[in-house]
Amino acid sequence: SYSDFSGGLYSEFKASWSKVMATLQFQREQLAKELCVIELKLQGLRARGICDLSSLKQLQDAQARHIQLLDMIDQHLKISKVSVQKI
């Protein structure tokens, strides 16, 4: 019947959506760990007083990218959480 068919589709969609959200959450955790490492490296460079502008610039660029990606993932997870609550 139609209700069995639509119920099956919904179940498949929900399972797929859960996998996507789990993947995003995992990526977020990895980015957060990498960001901590980057920040420790930046602190190390500053503490040593070594003026390695190339390394400093590379780390600052990576830091900015990671923060941007984390913000994007957080926004997506927040929107997704609201969407799932409405279903």
Side-chain angles (χ1 to χ4, degrees):
S1 76
Y2 176 76
S3 63
D4 291 341
F5 174 72
S6 62
L9 282 178
Y10 176 74
S11 294
E12 287 179 35
F13 169 78
K14 200 168 179 184
S16 295
W17 190 252
S18 294
K19 288 178 188 172
V20 168
M21 291 300 103
T23 300
L24 273 178
Q25 188 61 44
F26 177 77
Q27 288 176 333
R28 191 205 181 288
E29 290 167 9
Q30 291 302 111
L31 282 167
K33 288 176 189 174
E34 291 171 15
L35 183 58
C36 288
V37 171
I38 290 167
E39 289 171 352
L40 288 171
K41 287 180 179 180
L42 281 168
Q43 287 175 11
L45 272 180
R46 292 178 185 130
R48 288 196 305 265
I50 297 170
C51 193
D52 181 353
L53 292 180
S54 175
S55 293
L56 184 62
K57 176 87 172 106
Q58 188 177 9
L59 287 168
Q60 287 172 334
D61 288 348
Q63 182 183 40
R65 258 191 327 275
H66 278 60
I67 290 169
Q68 185 179 25
L69 287 168
L70 283 167
D71 287 344
M72 289 168 57
I73 289 173
D74 284 346
Q75 186 64 28
H76 190 75
L77 289 171
K78 185 172 114 182
I79 290 168
S80 299
K81 193 174 188 180
V82 170
S83 296
V84 169
Q85 287 173 352
K86 288 182 180 178
I87 294 176

Coordinates of all heavy atoms in Angstrom, one line a residue:
S1 N 0.8 -1.2 0.0 CA 0.0 0.0 0.0 C 0.9 1.2 0.0 O 2.1 1.2 0.3 CB -0.9 0.0 1.2 OG -0.2 0.3 2.4
Y2 N 0.3 2.4 -0.3 CA 1.0 3.7 -0.4 C 1.6 4.0 1.0 O 2.8 4.5 1.0 CB 0.1 4.8 -0.8 CG 0.8 6.1 -0.8 CD1 1.7 6.4 -1.8 CD2 0.5 7.0 0.2 CE1 2.3 7.6 -1.8 CE2 1.2 8.2 0.2 CZ 2.1 8.5 -0.8 OH 2.8 9.7 -0.8
S3 N 0.9 3.8 2.1 CA 1.4 4.2 3.4 C 2.7 3.3 3.8 O 3.6 3.8 4.3 CB 0.4 4.1 4.5 OG -0.1 2.8 4.6
D4 N 2.7 2.0 3.4 CA 3.8 1.2 3.6 C 5.0 1.7 2.8 O 6.1 1.8 3.3 CB 3.5 -0.3 3.2 CG 2.6 -0.9 4.2 OD1 2.4 -0.4 5.3 OD2 2.0 -1.9 3.8
F5 N 4.7 2.1 1.5 CA 5.8 2.6 0.6 C 6.4 3.9 1.2 O 7.6 4.0 1.3 CB 5.2 2.8 -0.8 CG 6.1 3.4 -1.7 CD1 7.2 2.7 -2.2 CD2 6.0 4.7 -2.1 CE1 8.1 3.3 -3.1 CE2 6.9 5.3 -3.0 CZ 7.9 4.6 -3.5
S6 N 5.5 4.8 1.5 CA 6.0 6.1 2.0 C 6.7 6.0 3.3 O 7.6 6.7 3.6 CB 4.8 7.2 2.0 OG 3.8 6.7 3.0
G7 N 6.1 5.1 4.2 CA 6.8 4.9 5.5 C 8.2 4.3 5.3 O 9.1 4.7 6.0
G8 N 8.3 3.4 4.3 CA 9.6 2.8 4.0 C 10.6 3.9 3.5 O 11.8 3.9 3.9
L9 N 10.1 4.7 2.6 CA 11.0 5.8 2.1 C 11.4 6.7 3.2 O 12.6 7.1 3.3 CB 10.2 6.6 1.0 CG 10.1 6.0 -0.3 CD1 9.3 7.0 -1.2 CD2 11.5 5.8 -1.0
Y10 N 10.5 7.1 4.1 CA 10.8 7.9 5.2 C 11.9 7.3 6.1 O 12.8 7.9 6.5 CB 9.6 8.3 6.0 CG 9.9 9.1 7.2 CD1 10.2 10.4 7.1 CD2 9.9 8.5 8.5 CE1 10.5 11.2 8.3 CE2 10.2 9.3 9.6 CZ 10.5 10.6 9.5 OH 10.8 11.3 10.6
S11 N 11.7 6.0 6.4 CA 12.7 5.3 7.2 C 14.1 5.3 6.6 O 15.1 5.5 7.3 CB 12.3 3.9 7.5 OG 11.1 3.8 8.2
E12 N 14.1 5.1 5.3 CA 15.4 5.1 4.5 C 16.0 6.5 4.6 O 17.2 6.6 4.8 CB 15.2 4.7 3.1 CG 15.0 3.2 2.9 CD 14.7 2.8 1.5 OE1 15.4 3.4 0.6 OE2 14.0 1.9 1.2
F13 N 15.2 7.5 4.4 CA 15.7 8.9 4.4 C 16.2 9.2 5.8 O 17.3 9.8 5.9 CB 14.6 9.9 4.0 CG 14.9 11.3 4.3 CD1 15.8 12.0 3.5 CD2 14.4 11.9 5.5 CE1 16.1 13.3 3.8 CE2 14.8 13.2 5.8 CZ 15.6 13.9 4.9
K14 N 15.5 8.8 6.8 CA 15.9 9.1 8.2 C 17.3 8.4 8.5 O 18.1 9.0 9.1 CB 14.8 8.7 9.2 CG 14.9 9.4 10.5 CD 13.7 9.2 11.3 CE 13.8 9.8 12.7 NZ 12.7 9.6 13.5
A15 N 17.4 7.2 8.0 CA 18.7 6.5 8.3 C 19.8 7.1 7.5 O 20.9 7.3 8.1 CB 18.5 5.0 7.8
S16 N 19.6 7.5 6.3 CA 20.6 8.2 5.5 C 21.0 9.5 6.1 O 22.2 9.9 6.2 CB 20.2 8.4 4.1 OG 20.0 7.2 3.4
W17 N 20.0 10.3 6.6 CA 20.2 11.6 7.2 C 21.0 11.4 8.5 O 21.9 12.2 8.7 CB 18.8 12.2 7.5 CG 19.0 13.6 7.9 CD1 18.8 14.1 9.2 CD2 19.3 14.7 7.1 NE1 19.0 15.5 9.2 CE2 19.3 15.9 7.9 CE3 19.6 14.9 5.8 CZ2 19.6 17.2 7.4 CZ3 19.9 16.1 5.3 CH2 19.9 17.3 6.1
S18 N 20.7 10.4 9.3 CA 21.5 10.1 10.5 C 23.0 9.9 10.2 O 23.8 10.3 10.9 CB 20.9 9.0 11.2 OG 19.6 9.3 11.7
K19 N 23.2 9.1 9.1 CA 24.6 8.9 8.7 C 25.3 10.2 8.3 O 26.5 10.4 8.7 CB 24.7 7.9 7.6 CG 24.3 6.5 8.0 CD 24.3 5.5 6.8 CE 23.8 4.2 7.2 NZ 23.6 3.3 6.1
V20 N 24.6 11.0 7.6 CA 25.2 12.3 7.2 C 25.5 13.1 8.4 O 26.6 13.7 8.5 CB 24.3 13.1 6.2 CG1 24.7 14.5 6.0 CG2 24.1 12.4 4.9
M21 N 24.6 13.2 9.3 CA 24.8 14.0 10.5 C 26.0 13.4 11.4 O 26.8 14.2 11.9 CB 23.6 14.0 11.4 CG 22.4 14.9 10.8 SD 22.9 16.6 10.5 CE 23.2 16.6 8.7
A22 N 26.1 12.1 11.4 CA 27.2 11.5 12.2 C 28.5 11.8 11.5 O 29.5 12.0 12.2 CB 27.0 9.9 12.3
T23 N 28.5 11.8 10.2 CA 29.8 12.1 9.5 C 30.2 13.5 9.7 O 31.3 13.8 9.9 CB 29.6 11.9 7.9 OG1 29.2 10.5 7.7 CG2 30.8 12.2 7.1
L24 N 29.2 14.4 9.7 CA 29.5 15.9 9.9 C 30.0 16.0 11.4 O 30.9 16.8 11.6 CB 28.2 16.7 9.7 CG 27.9 17.2 8.3 CD1 26.6 18.0 8.3 CD2 29.1 18.1 7.8
Q25 N 29.4 15.4 12.3 CA 29.8 15.5 13.7 C 31.3 14.9 13.8 O 32.1 15.5 14.5 CB 28.9 14.7 14.6 CG 29.1 14.9 16.1 CD 29.0 16.3 16.5 OE1 28.0 17.0 16.2 NE2 29.9 16.8 17.3
F26 N 31.6 13.8 13.2 CA 32.9 13.3 13.2 C 33.9 14.3 12.6 O 35.0 14.5 13.1 CB 33.0 11.9 12.4 CG 34.4 11.4 12.4 CD1 34.9 10.7 13.5 CD2 35.1 11.5 11.2 CE1 36.2 10.2 13.4 CE2 36.4 10.9 11.1 CZ 36.9 10.3 12.2
Q27 N 33.6 14.8 11.4 CA 34.4 15.8 10.8 C 34.7 17.0 11.7 O 35.8 17.6 11.8 CB 33.9 16.3 9.4 CG 33.9 15.2 8.4 CD 33.3 15.7 7.1 OE1 32.3 16.5 7.1 NE2 33.7 15.1 6.0
R28 N 33.6 17.4 12.4 CA 33.7 18.6 13.3 C 34.7 18.3 14.4 O 35.5 19.1 14.8 CB 32.3 18.9 13.9 CG 32.3 20.2 14.6 CD 31.3 20.3 15.7 NE 31.4 21.7 16.3 CZ 32.4 22.0 17.1 NH1 33.4 21.2 17.4 NH2 32.4 23.3 17.6
E29 N 34.6 17.1 15.0 CA 35.5 16.7 16.1 C 37.0 16.6 15.6 O 37.9 17.1 16.3 CB 35.1 15.3 16.6 CG 33.8 15.4 17.4 CD 33.2 14.0 17.7 OE1 33.8 13.0 17.5 OE2 32.0 14.0 18.2
Q30 N 37.2 16.1 14.4 CA 38.5 16.1 13.8 C 39.1 17.5 13.6 O 40.2 17.7 13.9 CB 38.5 15.3 12.5 CG 38.3 13.8 12.6 CD 39.3 13.1 13.5 OE1 38.9 12.7 14.6 NE2 40.5 13.0 13.1
L31 N 38.3 18.3 13.0 CA 38.7 19.7 12.8 C 39.1 20.4 14.1 O 40.0 21.2 14.2 CB 37.6 20.5 12.0 CG 37.5 20.3 10.6 CD1 36.2 20.9 10.0 CD2 38.7 20.9 9.8
A32 N 38.2 20.2 15.1 CA 38.5 20.8 16.4 C 39.8 20.3 17.0 O 40.6 21.1 17.6 CB 37.3 20.5 17.4
K33 N 40.1 19.0 16.9 CA 41.4 18.5 17.3 C 42.6 19.1 16.6 O 43.6 19.5 17.2 CB 41.4 17.0 17.2 CG 40.6 16.2 18.1 CD 40.6 14.7 17.8 CE 39.6 14.0 18.6 NZ 39.5 12.6 18.3
E34 N 42.4 19.2 15.2 CA 43.5 19.8 14.4 C 43.7 21.3 14.8 O 44.8 21.8 14.8 CB 43.1 19.7 12.9 CG 43.2 18.2 12.4 CD 42.6 18.1 11.0 OE1 42.5 19.1 10.3 OE2 42.4 16.9 10.6
L35 N 42.6 22.0 15.1 CA 42.7 23.4 15.4 C 43.4 23.5 16.7 O 44.3 24.4 16.9 CB 41.3 24.0 15.6 CG 41.2 25.5 15.9 CD1 41.9 26.3 14.9 CD2 39.8 25.9 16.0
C36 N 43.2 22.6 17.7 CA 44.0 22.7 18.9 C 45.5 22.5 18.7 O 46.3 23.2 19.2 CB 43.5 21.6 19.9 SG 41.9 21.9 20.6
V37 N 45.9 21.6 17.8 CA 47.3 21.4 17.4 C 47.8 22.6 16.8 O 49.0 23.0 17.1 CB 47.4 20.1 16.5 CG1 48.8 20.0 15.9 CG2 47.0 18.8 17.2
I38 N 47.1 23.2 15.9 CA 47.5 24.4 15.2 C 47.8 25.5 16.2 O 48.8 26.2 16.2 CB 46.5 24.9 14.2 CG1 46.5 23.9 13.0 CG2 46.8 26.3 13.7 CD1 45.3 24.1 12.0
E39 N 46.9 25.7 17.2 CA 47.0 26.7 18.2 C 48.2 26.5 19.1 O 48.9 27.4 19.5 CB 45.7 26.8 19.0 CG 44.6 27.5 18.2 CD 43.2 27.5 18.8 OE1 43.1 26.8 19.9 OE2 42.3 28.1 18.3
L40 N 48.5 25.2 19.4 CA 49.7 24.9 20.2 C 50.9 25.2 19.4 O 51.9 25.7 20.0 CB 49.7 23.4 20.6 CG 48.6 23.0 21.7 CD1 48.6 21.5 21.8 CD2 49.0 23.6 23.0
K41 N 50.9 24.9 18.1 CA 52.1 25.2 17.3 C 52.3 26.7 17.2 O 53.5 27.2 17.3 CB 51.9 24.6 15.9 CG 52.1 23.1 15.8 CD 51.9 22.6 14.4 CE 52.1 21.1 14.3 NZ 51.9 20.6 13.0
L42 N 51.2 27.5 17.1 CA 51.3 28.9 17.1 C 51.9 29.5 18.4 O 52.8 30.3 18.4 CB 50.0 29.6 16.8 CG 49.5 29.6 15.4 CD1 48.0 30.0 15.3 CD2 50.4 30.6 14.5
Q43 N 51.4 28.9 19.5 CA 51.9 29.3 20.8 C 53.4 29.0 21.0 O 54.2 29.8 21.5 CB 51.2 28.6 22.0 CG 49.8 29.1 22.2 CD 49.0 28.3 23.2 OE1 49.6 27.4 23.9 NE2 47.7 28.5 23.3
G44 N 53.8 27.8 20.4 CA 55.2 27.4 20.5 C 56.1 28.4 19.7 O 57.2 28.7 20.1
L45 N 55.6 28.8 18.5 CA 56.4 29.7 17.7 C 56.6 31.0 18.4 O 57.7 31.6 18.4 CB 55.7 30.0 16.3 CG 56.0 29.0 15.2 CD1 55.2 29.5 13.9 CD2 57.5 29.0 14.8
R46 N 55.5 31.5 19.0 CA 55.5 32.8 19.7 C 56.4 32.7 20.9 O 57.1 33.7 21.3 CB 54.1 33.2 20.1 CG 53.3 33.6 18.8 CD 51.8 34.0 19.2 NE 51.0 34.2 18.0 CZ 49.9 33.7 17.8 NH1 49.3 32.9 18.6 NH2 49.2 34.0 16.6
A47 N 56.3 31.6 21.7 CA 57.1 31.5 22.9 C 58.6 31.4 22.7 O 59.3 32.0 23.4 CB 56.6 30.2 23.6
R48 N 58.9 30.8 21.5 CA 60.4 30.7 21.2 C 60.9 32.1 20.6 O 62.1 32.2 20.6 CB 60.6 29.6 20.2 CG 60.5 28.2 20.8 CD 61.1 27.2 19.9 NE 60.5 27.2 18.5 CZ 59.5 26.4 18.1 NH1 58.9 25.6 18.9 NH2 59.1 26.5 16.8
G49 N 60.0 32.9 20.3 CA 60.4 34.2 19.7 C 61.1 34.1 18.3 O 61.7 35.0 17.9
I50 N 60.9 32.9 17.7 CA 61.5 32.7 16.4 C 60.6 33.4 15.4 O 59.4 33.2 15.4 CB 61.6 31.2 16.1 CG1 62.5 30.5 17.1 CG2 62.1 30.9 14.7 CD1 62.5 29.0 17.1
C51 N 61.2 34.1 14.5 CA 60.4 34.9 13.5 C 60.5 34.1 12.2 O 61.2 34.5 11.2 CB 61.0 36.3 13.3 SG 59.9 37.4 12.4
D52 N 59.7 33.0 12.1 CA 59.6 32.2 10.9 C 58.3 32.6 10.3 O 57.2 32.0 10.5 CB 59.6 30.7 11.3 CG 59.5 29.8 10.0 OD1 59.3 30.4 8.9 OD2 59.6 28.6 10.2
L53 N 58.3 33.7 9.5 CA 57.1 34.3 9.0 C 56.3 33.3 8.1 O 55.1 33.3 8.1 CB 57.4 35.6 8.2 CG 57.9 36.7 9.0 CD1 58.2 37.9 8.2 CD2 56.8 37.1 10.1
S54 N 57.0 32.5 7.4 CA 56.4 31.5 6.5 C 55.6 30.5 7.3 O 54.4 30.2 6.9 CB 57.4 30.7 5.7 OG 56.9 29.7 4.9
S55 N 56.1 29.9 8.3 CA 55.4 29.0 9.2 C 54.3 29.7 9.9 O 53.2 29.1 10.0 CB 56.3 28.4 10.2 OG 57.3 27.6 9.6
L56 N 54.5 30.9 10.4 CA 53.5 31.6 11.1 C 52.3 31.9 10.2 O 51.1 31.6 10.5 CB 54.1 33.0 11.6 CG 53.1 33.8 12.4 CD1 52.7 33.1 13.7 CD2 53.8 35.1 12.8
K57 N 52.6 32.3 9.0 CA 51.5 32.6 8.0 C 50.7 31.4 7.6 O 49.5 31.3 7.6 CB 52.1 33.2 6.7 CG 51.1 33.5 5.6 CD 50.4 34.8 5.8 CE 49.6 35.2 4.5 NZ 48.2 35.1 4.8
Q58 N 51.4 30.3 7.4 CA 50.8 29.0 7.1 C 49.9 28.5 8.2 O 48.8 28.1 8.0 CB 51.9 27.9 6.8 CG 51.4 26.6 6.2 CD 52.5 25.7 5.9 OE1 53.7 25.9 6.2 NE2 52.1 24.6 5.3
L59 N 50.4 28.6 9.4 CA 49.6 28.2 10.6 C 48.3 29.1 10.8 O 47.2 28.6 11.1 CB 50.4 28.2 11.9 CG 51.4 27.0 12.0 CD1 52.4 27.2 13.1 CD2 50.7 25.7 12.2
Q60 N 48.5 30.4 10.6 CA 47.4 31.3 10.7 C 46.4 31.1 9.7 O 45.2 31.2 9.9 CB 47.9 32.8 10.7 CG 48.7 33.2 11.9 CD 49.3 34.6 11.8 OE1 49.6 35.0 10.7 NE2 49.5 35.2 12.9
D61 N 46.8 30.8 8.4 CA 45.9 30.5 7.4 C 45.1 29.2 7.7 O 43.9 29.1 7.5 CB 46.6 30.3 6.0 CG 47.1 31.6 5.5 OD1 46.7 32.7 6.0 OD2 47.9 31.6 4.5
A62 N 45.8 28.2 8.2 CA 45.1 26.9 8.5 C 44.2 27.1 9.7 O 43.0 26.6 9.7 CB 46.2 25.9 8.9
Q63 N 44.5 28.0 10.6 CA 43.7 28.3 11.8 C 42.4 29.0 11.3 O 41.3 28.6 11.7 CB 44.4 29.2 12.7 CG 43.6 29.6 14.0 CD 44.4 30.5 14.9 OE1 45.0 31.5 14.3 NE2 44.3 30.3 16.2
A64 N 42.5 29.9 10.4 CA 41.3 30.6 9.9 C 40.4 29.7 9.1 O 39.2 29.7 9.2 CB 41.8 31.8 9.0
R65 N 41.0 28.8 8.3 CA 40.2 27.8 7.5 C 39.5 26.9 8.4 O 38.3 26.6 8.2 CB 41.2 27.0 6.6 CG 41.1 27.4 5.1 CD 41.8 26.5 4.2 NE 43.0 25.8 4.7 CZ 44.2 26.2 4.8 NH1 44.5 27.4 4.3 NH2 45.2 25.5 5.3
H66 N 40.2 26.4 9.4 CA 39.5 25.5 10.4 C 38.4 26.1 11.1 O 37.3 25.5 11.3 CB 40.5 24.9 11.4 CG 41.3 23.8 10.8 ND1 42.1 23.9 9.7 CD2 41.5 22.5 11.3 CE1 42.7 22.7 9.5 NE2 42.3 21.8 10.4
I67 N 38.6 27.4 11.5 CA 37.5 28.1 12.2 C 36.3 28.3 11.3 O 35.2 28.1 11.7 CB 38.0 29.4 12.8 CG1 39.0 29.2 14.0 CG2 36.9 30.3 13.3 CD1 39.8 30.4 14.4
Q68 N 36.6 28.7 10.1 CA 35.5 28.9 9.1 C 34.7 27.6 8.9 O 33.5 27.5 8.9 CB 36.1 29.4 7.8 CG 35.0 29.7 6.8 CD 35.7 30.3 5.5 OE1 36.8 30.0 5.2 NE2 34.9 31.0 4.7
L69 N 35.5 26.5 8.7 CA 34.8 25.2 8.5 C 34.0 24.7 9.7 O 32.9 24.2 9.6 CB 35.8 24.1 8.1 CG 36.4 24.2 6.7 CD1 37.6 23.2 6.6 CD2 35.4 23.8 5.7
L70 N 34.5 24.9 10.9 CA 33.8 24.6 12.1 C 32.5 25.4 12.2 O 31.5 24.9 12.6 CB 34.7 24.8 13.3 CG 35.7 23.8 13.6 CD1 36.7 24.3 14.7 CD2 35.1 22.5 14.0
D71 N 32.6 26.7 11.9 CA 31.4 27.5 11.9 C 30.3 27.0 10.9 O 29.1 27.0 11.2 CB 31.7 29.0 11.6 CG 32.4 29.7 12.8 OD1 32.4 29.1 13.9 OD2 33.0 30.7 12.5
M72 N 30.8 26.6 9.7 CA 29.9 26.1 8.7 C 29.2 24.8 9.2 O 28.0 24.7 9.0 CB 30.6 25.9 7.4 CG 31.0 27.2 6.7 SD 32.2 27.0 5.3 CE 31.3 25.9 4.3
I73 N 30.0 23.9 9.7 CA 29.5 22.6 10.2 C 28.5 22.9 11.3 O 27.4 22.3 11.4 CB 30.6 21.7 10.6 CG1 31.3 21.2 9.3 CG2 30.0 20.5 11.3 CD1 32.6 20.4 9.6
D74 N 28.9 23.7 12.3 CA 28.0 24.0 13.4 C 26.7 24.6 12.9 O 25.6 24.2 13.4 CB 28.6 25.0 14.4 CG 29.7 24.4 15.2 OD1 29.8 23.2 15.3 OD2 30.5 25.1 15.8
Q75 N 26.7 25.5 11.9 CA 25.5 26.1 11.4 C 24.6 25.0 10.8 O 23.4 25.0 11.0 CB 25.8 27.2 10.4 CG 24.6 27.9 9.9 CD 23.9 28.7 11.0 OE1 24.5 29.2 11.9 NE2 22.6 28.9 10.8
H76 N 25.2 24.1 10.0 CA 24.5 23.0 9.3 C 23.9 22.1 10.4 O 22.7 21.7 10.2 CB 25.4 22.3 8.4 CG 24.7 21.4 7.5 ND1 23.9 21.8 6.4 CD2 24.5 20.0 7.5 CE1 23.3 20.7 5.9 NE2 23.7 19.7 6.5
L77 N 24.7 21.7 11.4 CA 24.1 20.8 12.4 C 23.0 21.5 13.2 O 22.0 20.8 13.5 CB 25.3 20.4 13.4 CG 26.3 19.4 12.8 CD1 27.5 19.3 13.8 CD2 25.7 18.1 12.4
K78 N 23.1 22.7 13.4 CA 22.0 23.5 14.1 C 20.7 23.5 13.3 O 19.7 23.2 13.8 CB 22.5 24.9 14.4 CG 21.5 25.7 15.3 CD 22.2 27.0 15.7 CE 21.4 28.1 15.0 NZ 22.0 29.4 15.3
I79 N 20.9 23.8 12.0 CA 19.7 23.8 11.1 C 19.1 22.4 11.0 O 17.9 22.3 11.0 CB 20.1 24.4 9.7 CG1 20.5 25.9 9.8 CG2 19.0 24.1 8.7 CD1 21.1 26.4 8.6
S80 N 20.0 21.4 10.9 CA 19.5 20.1 10.7 C 18.7 19.6 12.0 O 17.7 18.9 11.9 CB 20.6 19.1 10.5 OG 21.3 19.5 9.3
K81 N 19.2 20.0 13.1 CA 18.6 19.6 14.4 C 17.2 20.2 14.5 O 16.2 19.5 14.8 CB 19.4 20.1 15.6 CG 19.1 19.5 16.9 CD 20.1 20.0 17.9 CE 19.8 19.3 19.2 NZ 20.8 19.7 20.3
V82 N 17.0 21.5 14.1 CA 15.7 22.1 14.0 C 14.8 21.4 13.0 O 13.6 21.2 13.3 CB 15.9 23.6 13.7 CG1 14.5 24.2 13.4 CG2 16.6 24.3 14.9
S83 N 15.3 21.1 11.9 CA 14.5 20.4 10.8 C 14.0 19.1 11.3 O 12.9 18.7 11.0 CB 15.4 20.2 9.5 OG 15.7 21.5 9.0
V84 N 14.9 18.3 11.9 CA 14.5 17.0 12.4 C 13.4 17.1 13.5 O 12.5 16.3 13.5 CB 15.7 16.2 12.9 CG1 15.3 14.9 13.6 CG2 16.6 15.8 11.7
Q85 N 13.5 18.1 14.3 CA 12.5 18.3 15.4 C 11.2 18.6 14.8 O 10.1 18.3 15.4 CB 13.0 19.4 16.3 CG 14.1 19.0 17.2 CD 14.7 20.1 18.0 OE1 14.3 21.3 17.9 NE2 15.6 19.8 19.0
K86 N 11.1 19.2 13.6 CA 9.8 19.6 13.0 C 9.2 18.4 12.4 O 8.0 18.4 12.2 CB 10.1 20.7 12.0 CG 10.4 22.1 12.6 CD 10.5 23.1 11.5 CE 10.9 24.4 12.1 NZ 11.1 25.5 11.1
I87 N 9.9 17.4 12.0 CA 9.4 16.2 11.3 C 8.5 15.4 12.2 O 8.8 15.2 13.3 CB 10.5 15.4 10.6 CG1 11.1 16.2 9.5 CG2 9.9 14.1 10.1 CD1 12.3 15.5 8.9

